[in-house]
Amino acid sequence: MIRKIKYALWPALLLMTLSLPVAAQDTLQDSMLTLNDAIAAALDQNFDIQIVKVQLDQAKTNNTIGNAGMLPVLNATGGLNGNITDAHVELATGDVQNRKGARSQTLSGAVQLDWILFDGLRMFTNKRRLEELQSIGNTNLKQQIQSTVSQVVISYAEVVRQKQQLVAIDTAMALARVRMDLAKKKFEVGTSAKTDYLQAQVDYNASKSAFLTQSALLRQAKDSLMVLLGRDQFMNYDVQDSLHLNKDLVYQDKDRWMDRNFSVQLARQQKRLSEYDLKLANGAQLPVLDLSAAYNYNRTQNGAGVTLFNRTYGPQGGLNLTLPLFNGFNLQRQKKVARQEVFRQDLMVQRLQTSLAARYRTAWRSYDNALKSLDLEKENIRYAEENVMIQQARFRVGVANTLELREAESSYVAALARLVDAAYTVKVTETRLLELENNLVK
């Protein structure tokens, strides 16, 4: 009887409304890993997210007015030089100096300030460019978080799927065991041939072999999930038997989700960077006004010569104006290349939007078809279950033969496997739709 089967299989796969950030915690307590726990662990330890966070920190560190060239540069220099020489000096007065081991010493020091006052507004463009790079870092982090959550959800669903497939194979073992016991009893009382019992034994052993293979696939799926969580791949844990499916997604026009998509946002930010590069190229044709100021100190003491001691000190300053007149037409070339890059980035934005719109339509059709397939498989499983019950009853009274019962069992187990796969497909397509709409992570 079906009620004697060890496990009842009724797959219901995934979703949950995700709200980030999720508090990080030890997620493998008691060897049970929920989807919420997996997401929290990934947000805390996933290597890709950590790498992007470091890149964002680098962009924040670089986003300063000093790095943009708005602040002056102040340097202090100093030096002490000395030498010992043998000197023979004939002066204009007719005097002659002969010195052996004459010592001379020079002491110097200065504080130098250089400040670009005007560079064609390039320093302000540089600051906006640094701010844009930081903004790109923020968008990259959001995209990586959403991508990682999507991978974790799908990977977790794959573990649940493999676990449920293992249950389906165990169900096949239980059915073969019931048939084997019935065939054995019928053979012992002489109402059935021994071949029915032997075939049931063969089917039971085949199910045991398939169980071992499926167990290895389940272990592989668990290891893949651990990689996403940045955890030890050899940790042993269990997952939920079923997860919630969202069957109420509504098709959205691209105007409602396209602007929210992180890939589109990044493409537009890259275009803005190219526009800043064009402004920098234009600014290179304008004059540069530089302020320089210094305070110098020099002290020289000689053991021979006309000047035996000299000391100078005091401030100095000046303004320098540089106007580029000709540099082999390189400025014009740089401006042309920058304009071409802006146009290229604009084309890339348009191409990405067209591609994403096509991907969304494909994902929606896949999601819609997966829902229909899931409903169909739910209907099939009822027919297959009833058929097994009828064939078992017919086999028990000798109306049905072992081949008919075996075929009914195989159909039932295949229907279970298809139902698990259909539910998994719904989850995958649902997750990808939400990712495209930027609704997976909020």
Side-chain angles (χ1 to χ4, degrees):
M1 296 294 290
I2 294 299
R3 61 177 177 270
K4 294 182 180 180
I5 296 175
K6 184 176 181 180
Y7 296 105
L9 182 62
W10 189 255
L13 287 173
L14 355 165
L15 177 84
M16 30 193 355
T17 301
L18 303 177
S19 179
L20 299 182
V22 179
Q25 54 185 334
D26 186 358
T27 57
L28 294 182
Q29 294 178 356
D30 301 324
S31 298
M32 171 57 69
L33 180 68
T34 67
L35 182 55
N36 266 337
D37 292 336
I39 293 171
L43 292 178
D44 185 49
Q45 299 179 92
N46 178 266
F47 291 114
D48 292 330
I49 291 179
Q50 294 184 58
I51 290 171
V52 176
K53 283 181 178 179
V54 173
Q55 293 172 340
L56 174 58
D57 290 339
Q58 290 173 328
K60 289 179 179 179
T61 303
N62 286 326
N63 185 17
T64 64
I65 59 176
N67 194 28
M70 295 181 177
L71 297 180
V73 177
L74 185 64
N75 293 309
T77 60
L80 176 62
N81 298 290
N83 56 59
I84 301 175
T85 60
D86 294 336
H88 175 79
V89 181
E90 296 180 359
L91 303 176
T93 61
D95 295 335
V96 176
Q97 293 183 2
N98 286 293
R99 298 284 191 273
K100 282 188 174 293
R103 297 175 179 271
S104 64
Q105 186 182 74
T106 301
L107 176 65
S108 64
V111 177
Q112 177 75 35
L113 179 140
D114 293 292
W115 196 351
I116 297 177
L117 302 179
F118 180 80
D119 64 350
L121 303 178
R122 299 180 72 193
M123 64 181 72
F124 298 99
T125 302
N126 273 326
K127 184 61 173 70
R128 289 193 291 270
R129 193 177 189 280
L130 292 173
E131 291 172 353
E132 194 65 48
L133 286 172
Q134 181 177 333
S135 179
I136 288 175
N138 276 312
T139 306
N140 267 326
L141 178 58
K142 293 176 183 177
Q143 184 182 51
Q144 186 60 57
I145 288 175
Q146 179 158 257
S147 175
T148 300
V149 170
S150 175
Q151 294 175 54
V152 169
V153 172
I154 293 175
S155 183
Y156 191 96
E158 174 65 15
V159 176
V160 175
R161 171 176 172 255
Q162 296 298 340
K163 179 181 178 180
Q164 294 287 40
Q165 292 288 11
L166 191 65
V167 175
I169 293 175
D170 200 30
T171 300
M173 291 173 56
L175 289 170
R177 183 61 182 267
V178 170
R179 175 159 50 91
M180 184 174 62
D181 292 341
L182 290 175
K184 182 179 180 181
K185 291 179 181 179
K186 294 180 67 174
F187 167 69
E188 290 173 347
V189 298
T191 59
S192 178
K194 188 177 182 179
T195 54
D196 292 343
Y197 168 67
L198 294 176
Q199 183 61 57
Q201 182 69 58
V202 169
D203 293 340
Y204 178 73
N205 289 338
S207 297
K208 291 173 67 176
S209 177
F211 187 90
L212 295 176
T213 301
Q214 184 60 35
S215 297
L217 293 176
L218 176 59
R219 181 68 262 175
Q220 292 175 14
K222 287 184 174 182
D223 288 345
S224 296
L225 178 58
M226 284 294 99
V227 171
L228 290 174
L229 306 190
R231 292 294 189 94
D232 184 355
Q233 297 184 40
F234 299 101
M235 294 185 72
N236 189 26
Y237 64 94
D238 196 11
V239 295
Q240 297 168 289
D241 294 328
S242 62
L243 295 170
H244 175 60
L245 273 175
N246 188 346
K247 302 179 182 179
D248 301 321
L249 297 183
V250 179
Y251 183 86
Q252 296 187 26
D253 186 78
K254 65 180 181 180
D255 294 335
R256 299 183 59 187
W257 62 267
M258 185 70 74
D259 291 340
R260 299 197 308 266
N261 185 274
F262 289 132
S263 296
V264 174
Q265 293 180 25
L266 284 172
R268 289 173 176 169
Q269 289 172 323
Q270 289 293 338
K271 180 186 175 184
R272 284 195 290 272
L273 277 184
S274 66
E275 292 171 347
Y276 291 138
D277 290 337
L278 176 58
K279 290 182 178 180
L280 290 174
N282 289 331
Q285 291 185 308
L286 297 177
V288 176
L289 181 63
D290 177 72
L291 168 67
S292 61
Y295 190 92
N296 300 303
Y297 177 86
N298 291 280
R299 180 180 179 275
T300 303
Q301 186 172 355
N302 298 311
V306 177
T307 306
L308 299 180
F309 182 84
N310 181 44
R311 181 175 62 189
T312 62
Y313 55 90
Q316 71 177 48
L319 291 173
N320 302 302
L321 181 67
T322 303
L323 179 63
L325 298 178
F326 179 76
N327 69 341
F329 301 107
N330 280 318
L331 289 179
Q332 294 298 327
R333 176 187 57 80
Q334 292 169 3
K335 288 172 60 178
K336 183 177 181 180
V337 171
R339 284 194 298 269
Q340 291 171 336
E341 179 63 17
V342 172
F343 181 64
R344 188 181 75 90
Q345 291 293 338
D346 185 61
L347 291 176
M348 292 181 68
V349 171
Q350 295 180 46
R351 183 185 67 176
L352 178 62
Q353 290 176 326
T354 302
S355 174
L356 287 176
R359 284 175 55 192
Y360 183 79
R361 290 191 296 269
T362 300
W364 178 261
R365 285 192 293 268
S366 299
Y367 171 73
D368 188 54
N369 290 336
L371 287 178
K372 293 176 181 178
S373 296
L374 181 61
D375 290 340
L376 181 61
E377 295 303 334
K378 285 182 178 180
E379 183 179 355
N380 284 339
I381 201 68
R382 291 195 295 269
Y383 297 151
E385 181 179 359
E386 184 178 0
N387 187 38
V388 169
M389 295 177 65
I390 292 173
Q391 293 295 354
Q392 279 188 341
R394 295 179 73 237
F395 181 75
R396 188 173 287 105
V397 297
V399 177
N401 57 42
T402 185
L403 292 178
E404 291 174 327
L405 179 56
R406 182 187 179 197
E407 180 66 25
E409 292 172 357
S410 298
S411 297
Y412 177 65
V413 172
L416 290 176
R418 289 197 308 273
L419 183 57
V420 172
D421 289 339
Y424 170 77
T425 302
V426 170
K427 187 56 192 174
V428 171
T429 55
E430 166 205 323
T431 302
R432 289 173 177 165
L433 268 177
L434 292 173
E435 185 177 5
L436 284 170
E437 294 174 355
N438 196 19
N439 286 326
L440 185 61
V441 177
K442 295 182 180 178

